[in-house]
Amino acid sequence: MSAKAASVRRAYLYKGVGETVGVVTLDGRPERLMIEWPDDDPLDAEGVHGVARVRKIEKAFSSAFVQLPGGRDLILPLRPDMPALVEGGVVEIEIKTPSRADKAGVARFVAEGQGEPRVLAQGPSIEERLRQIVKAGSPTTGEKALLAVEEAEGDALATVFSLPGGGDIAVEPTRALTAIDVDLGARDGADSKRAARLANMAAINVAARVLRLKGLAGIIIFDLVGRGHDAQALTTAARNAFAPDNPGVGIGPISKFGTLEMIVPRRAPPILDRLLTRDGDVEPRYVARRLARALEREGRADPGGRLTALCAPAVAEAFQAELDQGVAERLGRRFVVEAAPAWPVERFEVSAR
């Protein structure tokens, strides 16, 4: 039997109007998606290092609230081996997990603080993070990068993902955990037990990639297909598939109900916090950036043409406020963006005239 080919990761970097986006692919499929917009808070990012003020100590929860100058509150877990902190004092920290839509960011204790609160080092750029992950030269840029970005965004917004060999998984986050439902579908094979085993193994590998893409972590529960699971094989598969998320991955036993429970450390906010509103609708600012990309594409295809874009009012407003000048600098003032009041947020059209 031939050895399984090693997995290949590639990096893509797209710098558009009002956005910098990085993508990592694993064997050709999107695995990570990183998005920065110009108004992002630079102090709310993984890797920021500084001296923070201790604003409040919550002994009941073994944590403290600390704050970098100009930054928002961060949760600092307290450990027995740390020096005693006092409210109003300072501590040297590094941001471990940026804030999410509904939760504060988490800091890591580095050392006792000295001097006034200040930022010692900003977090790594998207390009630096891509290089750290892939370790294979410069990221691909240009049109290939944009195609990778749009494929990654489509996957990040999806719920159901096909499995190699048949079947699929549904990845559905809740406030408390992320549930992954494995469906055998019309998977080929007369041996149902073997088909279920192969589907579960494939589900673990696909889910690991998708969870990294979506930025989902915390408690993960697989609702496996079939009965009489090979616990050792599935646990080994999970350990290998989630190795890039270490340290901190924990894998529980398969329950009598056929579920596999895991804990995966949070290191980034869910990417859907960027692409969707809190109500679960498509974010108008994100669609405005897709519109800017479409204008650039059409402008390159028709260098002398006048361009007209139609979109929902909220998208037109976001485009005008954040992207209009940048697109004009790239294309010249040869486009108009008009609001179509009855259109849903996700719809837009660009045409040349």
Side-chain angles (χ1 to χ4, degrees):
M1 182 181 293
S2 59
K4 181 181 177 181
S7 293
V8 176
R9 286 184 169 85
R10 301 191 187 280
Y12 299 85
L13 180 66
Y14 173 71
K15 295 184 178 181
V17 177
E19 61 177 347
T20 299
V21 190
V23 172
V24 174
T25 61
L26 175 62
D27 297 331
R29 299 296 302 156
E31 182 191 34
R32 298 181 192 267
L33 176 59
M34 313 165 191
I35 300 174
E36 285 183 359
W37 293 348
D39 62 350
D40 287 349
D41 183 355
L43 300 183
D44 187 22
E46 181 184 5
V48 173
H49 182 195
V51 177
R53 181 79 67 191
V54 179
R55 194 181 64 78
K56 189 176 182 181
I57 296 176
E58 294 282 2
K59 292 183 179 179
F61 301 102
S62 298
S63 61
F65 288 98
V66 301
Q67 192 177 63
L68 292 167
R72 61 184 71 183
D73 275 357
L74 298 163
I75 298 172
L76 176 64
L78 302 179
R79 304 192 313 266
D81 60 339
M82 287 170 52
L85 304 184
V86 295
E87 293 183 1
V90 294
V91 61
E92 188 174 337
I93 58 98
E94 180 181 22
I95 296 183
K96 181 180 177 182
T97 307
S99 64
R100 291 180 280 155
D102 55 350
K103 292 189 178 180
V106 178
R108 180 180 69 85
F109 173 79
V110 175
E112 294 186 71
Q114 300 291 332
E116 290 299 311
R118 62 198 183 279
V119 177
L120 299 174
Q122 299 287 352
S125 68
I126 284 183
E127 183 170 356
E128 290 168 336
R129 291 162 62 192
L130 291 173
R131 290 176 182 273
Q132 289 169 2
I133 294 168
V134 176
K135 300 180 178 67
S138 299
T140 299
T141 58
E143 190 64 23
K144 287 184 178 179
L146 180 54
L147 291 173
V149 165
E150 293 183 336
E151 182 181 13
E153 290 172 344
D155 270 15
L157 289 165
T159 298
V160 178
F161 300 85
S162 299
L163 299 177
D168 57 48
I169 58 171
V171 180
E172 298 180 279
T174 70
R175 284 177 60 91
L177 53 85
T178 297
I180 299 173
D181 180 52
V182 186
D183 191 332
L184 192 62
R187 195 177 187 93
D188 294 333
D191 185 342
S192 61
K193 186 171 182 178
R194 181 173 184 275
R197 180 180 183 276
L198 292 175
N200 287 327
M201 299 283 277
I204 289 171
N205 284 288
V206 172
R209 174 184 66 80
V210 169
L211 292 171
R212 284 193 285 273
L213 174 68
K214 290 174 172 283
L216 296 174
I219 298 174
I220 311 295
I221 297 181
F222 286 84
D223 183 6
L224 302 170
V225 68
R227 299 179 180 179
H229 303 290
D230 184 340
Q232 182 175 352
L234 291 173
T235 299
T236 299
R239 188 177 297 114
N240 292 335
F242 286 87
D245 302 295
N246 275 315
V249 174
I251 304 172
I254 297 176
S255 77
K256 64 180 180 179
F257 303 112
T259 59
L260 172 63
E261 186 172 337
M262 301 180 57
I263 185 77
V264 177
R266 298 186 188 276
R267 295 197 171 90
I271 202 66
L272 293 185
D273 285 1
R274 177 70 81 184
L275 306 181
L276 302 178
T277 67
R278 292 196 179 194
D279 295 328
D281 301 319
V282 180
E283 170 60 60
R285 298 179 67 201
Y286 161 58
V287 179
R289 282 155 174 82
R290 290 179 54 210
L291 175 59
R293 300 172 194 168
L295 281 167
E296 283 200 79
R297 276 201 183 102
E298 194 66 35
R300 288 194 297 269
D302 188 359
R306 304 285 300 178
L307 307 176
T308 299
L310 293 176
C311 59
V315 175
E317 182 180 348
F319 182 94
Q320 182 64 37
E322 303 179 49
L323 307 172
D324 179 80
Q325 184 59 37
V327 174
E329 290 172 359
R330 295 194 178 192
L331 295 181
R333 185 57 70 180
R334 58 187 180 98
F335 63 90
V336 293
V337 176
E338 300 176 352
W343 282 20
V345 168
E346 60 269 24
R347 181 182 176 186
F348 64 85
E349 293 179 3
V350 175
S351 59
R353 56 180 179 173

